[in-house]
């Protein structure tokens, strides 16, 4: 319940500032916690301000290479990663990793958080070779620190499988997902939400290969686990409902898909801030589902909402905005309003060209 937690965090930060002073490390630690929470809520601008304030305090108190400075940098990088701002996140996370390796050692398992985020940055920038290097480092460190049957190793296997999936190395990715599933089954059991996460990721591998029926079965199995373990209104259950919606939509089954998407959106509206990208993704999907069923007027409202959120959260020139513009243009064309679709397509083309 991050929305309920935010006012408590704000109050705690206010108390820390009054008790310890505006330049105190204690205040900085409170700001780091607030930044993480606001990032989870999708309040990225406010999260960035809190993390920057914390970083400035910690650099002044302890210096640029202190572990706590590295902690603030990692949080700042995580916020940028959540906005798909790969170019700004990269050097910040590199610096956080250097500090962690210098103070804790290159093989310390605490480094895996920064390495995993740098893997995601590399994938976002299309550098699969670099992403593979980071993912393999995470796996090596985790196996050495925890043993091959630890759930953290399953997470590392999942990261490497994600890289292989992005590179269309499907056979290698499949083998890693199988290892990860066996790991979680042995260590935590098949009814654990961690098992459902691995099923979900394996389902995406089938989706990527056009094996939609196989993916659907895994998505449904994962959703059943989370519904039982966490409840149907939990944000993680909503993620799985959304993923199943996407799978059904890909199979041209919009009427079956729509209830799962509405369910996910309803949960996220209660969980996150109004500008969270998850809400935009769900609105975009609902727009497409409405359009696929001939309701182009209804689709337009969802597209407008998705565009507004994406422009605020990840930028007006982001690929996500281009996705919305293209979907809206297709809907307008289908409704016989091609003249209105043309400027949307032109803007989407300009965004795509700038991203290359």
């Amino acid at each position: 319940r991050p929305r309920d937690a935010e006012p408590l965090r704000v109050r705690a930060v206010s108390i820390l500032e009054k008790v310890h002073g505006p330049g105190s490390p204690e205040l900085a630690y409170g700001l780091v916690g607030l930044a993480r929470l606001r990032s989870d809520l999708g309040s990225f601008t406010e999260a960035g301000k809190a993390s920057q304030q914390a970083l400035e305090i910690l650099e002044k108190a302890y210096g640029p290479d202190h572990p706590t400075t590295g902690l603030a940098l990692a949080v700042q990088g995580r916020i940028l990663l959540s906005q798909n701002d790969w170019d700004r996140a990269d050097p910040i996370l590199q610096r956080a990793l250097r500090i962690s390796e210098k103070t804790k050692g290159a093989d310390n398992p605490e480094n895996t958080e920064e390495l995993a985020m740098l893997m995601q940055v590399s994938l976002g920038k299309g550098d699969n070779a670099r992403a593979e290097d980071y993912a393999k480092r995470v796996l090596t460190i985790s196996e050495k620190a925890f043993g091959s049957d630890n759930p953290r190793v399953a997470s590392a296997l999942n990261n490497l499988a994600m890289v292989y999936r992005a590179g269309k190395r499907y056979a290698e990715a499949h083998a890693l997902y199988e290892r990860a599933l066996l790991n979680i089954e042995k260590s935590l059991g098949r009814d654990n939400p961690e098992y459902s996460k691995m099923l979900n990721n394996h389902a995406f591998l089938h989706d990527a290969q056009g094996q939609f029926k196989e993916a659907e079965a895994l998505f449904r199995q994962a959703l059943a686990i989370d519904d039982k373990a966490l409840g149907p209104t939990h944000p993680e259950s909503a993620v799985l409902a959304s993923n199943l919606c996407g799978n059904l939509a890909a199979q041209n089954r919009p009427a079956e898909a729509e209830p799962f998407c509405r369910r996910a959106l309803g949960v996220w509206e209660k969980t996150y801030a109004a500008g969270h990208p998850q809400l935009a993704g769900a609105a975009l999907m609902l727009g497409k589902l409405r359009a696929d069923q001939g309701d182009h007027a209804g689709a337009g409202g969802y597209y407008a909402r998705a565009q507004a959120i994406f422009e605020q959260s990840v930028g007006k020139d982001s690929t996500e905005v281009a996705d919305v513009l293209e979907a809206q243009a297709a809907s307008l064309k289908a409704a016989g309003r091609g003249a209105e679709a043309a400027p949307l397509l032109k803007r989407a083309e300009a965004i795509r060209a700038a991203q290359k």
Side-chain angles (χ1 to χ4, degrees), residues 294-313:
D295 181 12
H296 299 291
Y302 287 116
Y303 290 141
R305 182 180 181 187
Q307 182 179 340
I309 295 173
F310 277 139
E311 286 183 341
Q312 179 185 7
S313 61

mmCIF file of all heavy atoms in Angstrom, residues 294-313:
data_model
loop_
_atom_site.group_PDB
_atom_site.id
_atom_site.type_symbol
_atom_site.label_atom_id
_atom_site.label_comp_id
_atom_site.label_asym_id
_atom_site.label_seq_id
_atom_site.Cartn_x
_atom_site.Cartn_y
_atom_site.Cartn_z
ATOM 1 N N GLY A 294 -14.587 -2.345 -32.435
ATOM 2 C CA GLY A 294 -15.347 -1.362 -33.192
ATOM 3 C C GLY A 294 -15.761 -0.127 -32.424
ATOM 4 O O GLY A 294 -16.443 0.754 -32.975
ATOM 5 N N ASP A 295 -15.344 -0.002 -31.160
ATOM 6 C CA ASP A 295 -15.722 1.159 -30.345
ATOM 7 C C ASP A 295 -14.610 2.209 -30.436
ATOM 8 O O ASP A 295 -13.829 2.402 -29.499
ATOM 9 C CB ASP A 295 -15.953 0.734 -28.893
ATOM 10 C CG ASP A 295 -16.365 1.900 -27.994
ATOM 11 O OD1 ASP A 295 -16.696 2.974 -28.534
ATOM 12 O OD2 ASP A 295 -16.340 1.732 -26.761
ATOM 13 N N HIS A 296 -14.522 2.897 -31.553
ATOM 14 C CA HIS A 296 -13.430 3.847 -31.769
ATOM 15 C C HIS A 296 -13.586 5.104 -30.924
ATOM 16 O O HIS A 296 -12.595 5.712 -30.517
ATOM 17 C CB HIS A 296 -13.333 4.186 -33.254
ATOM 18 C CG HIS A 296 -13.034 2.994 -34.108
ATOM 19 N ND1 HIS A 296 -11.815 2.345 -34.076
ATOM 20 C CD2 HIS A 296 -13.814 2.300 -34.990
ATOM 21 C CE1 HIS A 296 -11.840 1.313 -34.903
ATOM 22 N NE2 HIS A 296 -13.042 1.261 -35.475
ATOM 23 N N ALA A 297 -14.823 5.478 -30.633
ATOM 24 C CA ALA A 297 -15.035 6.642 -29.762
ATOM 25 C C ALA A 297 -14.544 6.342 -28.349
ATOM 26 O O ALA A 297 -13.856 7.161 -27.725
ATOM 27 C CB ALA A 297 -16.519 7.013 -29.747
ATOM 28 N N GLY A 298 -14.873 5.159 -27.839
ATOM 29 C CA GLY A 298 -14.398 4.761 -26.517
ATOM 30 C C GLY A 298 -12.898 4.610 -26.473
ATOM 31 O O GLY A 298 -12.246 4.943 -25.470
ATOM 32 N N ALA A 299 -12.315 4.121 -27.570
ATOM 33 C CA ALA A 299 -10.859 3.948 -27.633
ATOM 34 C C ALA A 299 -10.145 5.279 -27.498
ATOM 35 O O ALA A 299 -9.093 5.380 -26.855
ATOM 36 C CB ALA A 299 -10.477 3.274 -28.945
ATOM 37 N N GLY A 300 -10.728 6.346 -28.086
ATOM 38 C CA GLY A 300 -10.062 7.647 -28.070
ATOM 39 C C GLY A 300 -9.799 8.175 -26.678
ATOM 40 O O GLY A 300 -8.737 8.760 -26.412
ATOM 41 N N GLY A 301 -10.728 7.960 -25.756
ATOM 42 C CA GLY A 301 -10.529 8.421 -24.389
ATOM 43 C C GLY A 301 -9.369 7.721 -23.707
ATOM 44 O O GLY A 301 -8.583 8.350 -22.978
ATOM 45 N N TYR A 302 -9.245 6.430 -23.953
ATOM 46 C CA TYR A 302 -8.128 5.681 -23.357
ATOM 47 C C TYR A 302 -6.791 6.110 -23.967
ATOM 48 O O TYR A 302 -5.783 6.236 -23.260
ATOM 49 C CB TYR A 302 -8.338 4.185 -23.558
ATOM 50 C CG TYR A 302 -9.417 3.604 -22.678
ATOM 51 C CD1 TYR A 302 -10.578 3.065 -23.228
ATOM 52 C CD2 TYR A 302 -9.290 3.594 -21.290
ATOM 53 C CE1 TYR A 302 -11.584 2.537 -22.417
ATOM 54 C CE2 TYR A 302 -10.278 3.072 -20.476
ATOM 55 C CZ TYR A 302 -11.425 2.540 -21.047
ATOM 56 O OH TYR A 302 -12.411 2.026 -20.244
ATOM 57 N N TYR A 303 -6.783 6.339 -25.283
ATOM 58 C CA TYR A 303 -5.539 6.783 -25.918
ATOM 59 C C TYR A 303 -5.101 8.135 -25.374
ATOM 60 O O TYR A 303 -3.909 8.369 -25.138
ATOM 61 C CB TYR A 303 -5.719 6.865 -27.436
ATOM 62 C CG TYR A 303 -5.862 5.531 -28.128
ATOM 63 C CD1 TYR A 303 -6.756 5.358 -29.184
ATOM 64 C CD2 TYR A 303 -5.086 4.440 -27.748
ATOM 65 C CE1 TYR A 303 -6.890 4.142 -29.827
ATOM 66 C CE2 TYR A 303 -5.214 3.221 -28.381
ATOM 67 C CZ TYR A 303 -6.120 3.073 -29.434
ATOM 68 O OH TYR A 303 -6.244 1.866 -30.066
ATOM 69 N N ALA A 304 -6.054 9.034 -25.175
ATOM 70 C CA ALA A 304 -5.717 10.366 -24.650
ATOM 71 C C ALA A 304 -5.118 10.254 -23.255
ATOM 72 O O ALA A 304 -4.144 10.946 -22.917
ATOM 73 C CB ALA A 304 -6.964 11.248 -24.632
ATOM 74 N N ARG A 305 -5.689 9.384 -22.449
ATOM 75 C CA ARG A 305 -5.173 9.204 -21.093
ATOM 76 C C ARG A 305 -3.768 8.604 -21.121
ATOM 77 O O ARG A 305 -2.867 9.072 -20.404
ATOM 78 C CB ARG A 305 -6.103 8.288 -20.296
ATOM 79 C CG ARG A 305 -5.666 8.082 -18.860
ATOM 80 C CD ARG A 305 -6.609 7.164 -18.101
ATOM 81 N NE ARG A 305 -6.192 7.000 -16.719
ATOM 82 C CZ ARG A 305 -6.749 6.144 -15.868
ATOM 83 N NH1 ARG A 305 -7.773 5.390 -16.248
ATOM 84 N NH2 ARG A 305 -6.306 6.050 -14.621
ATOM 85 N N ALA A 306 -3.573 7.598 -21.953
ATOM 86 C CA ALA A 306 -2.256 6.964 -22.048
ATOM 87 C C ALA A 306 -1.206 7.955 -22.522
ATOM 88 O O ALA A 306 -0.092 8.023 -21.972
ATOM 89 C CB ALA A 306 -2.327 5.769 -22.997
ATOM 90 N N GLN A 307 -1.538 8.749 -23.524
ATOM 91 C CA GLN A 307 -0.583 9.716 -24.048
ATOM 92 C C GLN A 307 -0.189 10.740 -22.992
ATOM 93 O O GLN A 307 0.996 11.063 -22.837
ATOM 94 C CB GLN A 307 -1.177 10.420 -25.275
ATOM 95 C CG GLN A 307 -0.221 11.420 -25.923
ATOM 96 C CD GLN A 307 -0.822 12.088 -27.144
ATOM 97 O OE1 GLN A 307 -1.774 11.584 -27.738
ATOM 98 N NE2 GLN A 307 -0.287 13.237 -27.524
ATOM 99 N N ALA A 308 -1.170 11.249 -22.272
ATOM 100 C CA ALA A 308 -0.884 12.263 -21.253
ATOM 101 C C ALA A 308 0.041 11.719 -20.171
ATOM 102 O O ALA A 308 0.988 12.398 -19.743
ATOM 103 C CB ALA A 308 -2.188 12.758 -20.634
ATOM 104 N N ILE A 309 -0.196 10.490 -19.732
ATOM 105 C CA ILE A 309 0.642 9.906 -18.678
ATOM 106 C C ILE A 309 2.049 9.632 -19.192
ATOM 107 O O ILE A 309 3.041 9.952 -18.525
ATOM 108 C CB ILE A 309 0.008 8.613 -18.139
ATOM 109 C CG1 ILE A 309 -1.322 8.916 -17.441
ATOM 110 C CG2 ILE A 309 0.965 7.921 -17.167
ATOM 111 C CD1 ILE A 309 -2.097 7.678 -17.028
ATOM 112 N N PHE A 310 2.143 9.057 -20.385
ATOM 113 C CA PHE A 310 3.470 8.751 -20.930
ATOM 114 C C PHE A 310 4.276 10.020 -21.169
ATOM 115 O O PHE A 310 5.490 10.062 -20.905
ATOM 116 C CB PHE A 310 3.351 7.966 -22.236
ATOM 117 C CG PHE A 310 3.146 6.484 -22.060
ATOM 118 C CD1 PHE A 310 2.253 5.793 -22.873
ATOM 119 C CD2 PHE A 310 3.853 5.773 -21.102
ATOM 120 C CE1 PHE A 310 2.073 4.421 -22.725
ATOM 121 C CE2 PHE A 310 3.669 4.414 -20.944
ATOM 122 C CZ PHE A 310 2.774 3.729 -21.761
ATOM 123 N N GLU A 311 3.627 11.063 -21.663
ATOM 124 C CA GLU A 311 4.357 12.312 -21.897
ATOM 125 C C GLU A 311 4.904 12.878 -20.593
ATOM 126 O O GLU A 311 6.016 13.427 -20.565
ATOM 127 C CB GLU A 311 3.437 13.328 -22.576
ATOM 128 C CG GLU A 311 3.172 13.015 -24.042
ATOM 129 C CD GLU A 311 2.323 14.058 -24.736
ATOM 130 O OE1 GLU A 311 1.633 14.830 -24.035
ATOM 131 O OE2 GLU A 311 2.364 14.107 -25.977
ATOM 132 N N GLN A 312 4.163 12.719 -19.526
ATOM 133 C CA GLN A 312 4.605 13.237 -18.228
ATOM 134 C C GLN A 312 5.668 12.346 -17.599
ATOM 135 O O GLN A 312 6.625 12.843 -16.997
ATOM 136 C CB GLN A 312 3.403 13.344 -17.280
ATOM 137 C CG GLN A 312 3.768 13.847 -15.883
ATOM 138 C CD GLN A 312 2.591 13.831 -14.928
ATOM 139 O OE1 GLN A 312 1.522 13.327 -15.249
ATOM 140 N NE2 GLN A 312 2.775 14.362 -13.741
ATOM 141 N N SER A 313 5.520 11.027 -17.728
ATOM 142 C CA SER A 313 6.379 10.113 -16.977
ATOM 143 C C SER A 313 7.659 9.728 -17.713
ATOM 144 O O SER A 313 8.721 9.606 -17.089
ATOM 145 C CB SER A 313 5.603 8.847 -16.605
ATOM 146 O OG SER A 313 5.151 8.167 -17.770
#
